[in-house]
Each structure stands twice: as structure tokens, then as C-alpha cells.
Amino acid sequence: MSEVQTETAAQDAPPPPRVVTISANAAKRITQLIEMEGDATMRLRIEVVGGGCSGFSYKFSLDNESREDDLVFKNHGVEFVTDEVAIEMLAGSELDYVEDMMGSSFQMKNPNASSTCGCGTSFST
């Protein structure tokens, strides 16, 4: 009987929030990149595009355009956007910026990804 309750509880679990967050390290690096561009109106755009070895890839860019389907978020004083299509695959994710002996990179911690490639830039759901 407890198995049935567990299965039911898992089915009734709420979907991840339609929110994307960034870590303090990512916010710091994004701020540096915007300062290097010399345009304080820029913000990070997080997109999901088809391709990559796992089916989808993350795309990060700086821009200052607004699109009709933009969802705007702000963490650690940094504004960033994604769109209605991407949020379905990114909901509940956190963007981090990691520096280690191998180099530095933005890394998405995505609870919706069922698998990722070795380099961490592509995923499947």
C-alpha cells in the first residue's frame, strides 16, 4: 500500500516553478561582461536551441532588445531574460559560473534535463 501512496505522491508533485535563477558567481561575471561591452542597457539572454549531441543546447548572449514573449528575471542585481518556449525546459534551473583548473564557464543546473553531454552544453528532456 505504501508503494501506491508513493506513486500517487510523485504524480501529484507540483511542476517546477517557471523561474530561472542565477548564482552570485554568475551575476558577478555577467556584470563584468556587460561592463566590458560598455552598454549598461544590456542583459543576459538565455535560450534553448535544437542541436548539440544530446538534442538541445543552451545559448547565452548579451543584448538590449525586448521581445514580446520575454520573461524577465532578476537575481543578485542582474536582469536576464528567457522566452516562453525555453522556460518549459528551463523551469527551476540555476545558471552558475564556475572557475577551476580546467577553465571557466557558465553551467546550467537544470532539473528537467534527463541527460547531458560530457561538456555540459547540451541536454535532453
Side-chain angles (χ1 to χ4, degrees), residues 62-117:
L62 294 176
D63 71 36
N64 53 8
E65 68 181 68
S66 292
R67 300 177 188 167
E68 188 174 311
D69 65 342
D70 277 349
L71 300 171
V72 180
F73 301 97
K74 191 171 186 176
N75 287 126
H76 304 287
V78 173
E79 191 172 274
F80 56 101
V81 297
T82 192
D83 59 52
E84 285 287 342
V85 174
I87 195 66
E88 297 304 319
M89 290 182 260
L90 296 175
S93 296
E94 179 186 50
L95 179 65
D96 194 11
Y97 184 72
V98 178
E99 295 178 280
D100 59 26
M101 292 178 65
M102 299 300 289
S104 58
S105 64
F106 284 104
Q107 296 180 2
M108 187 65 77
K109 298 174 184 172
N110 187 344
N112 307 302
S114 59
S115 66
T116 59
C117 68

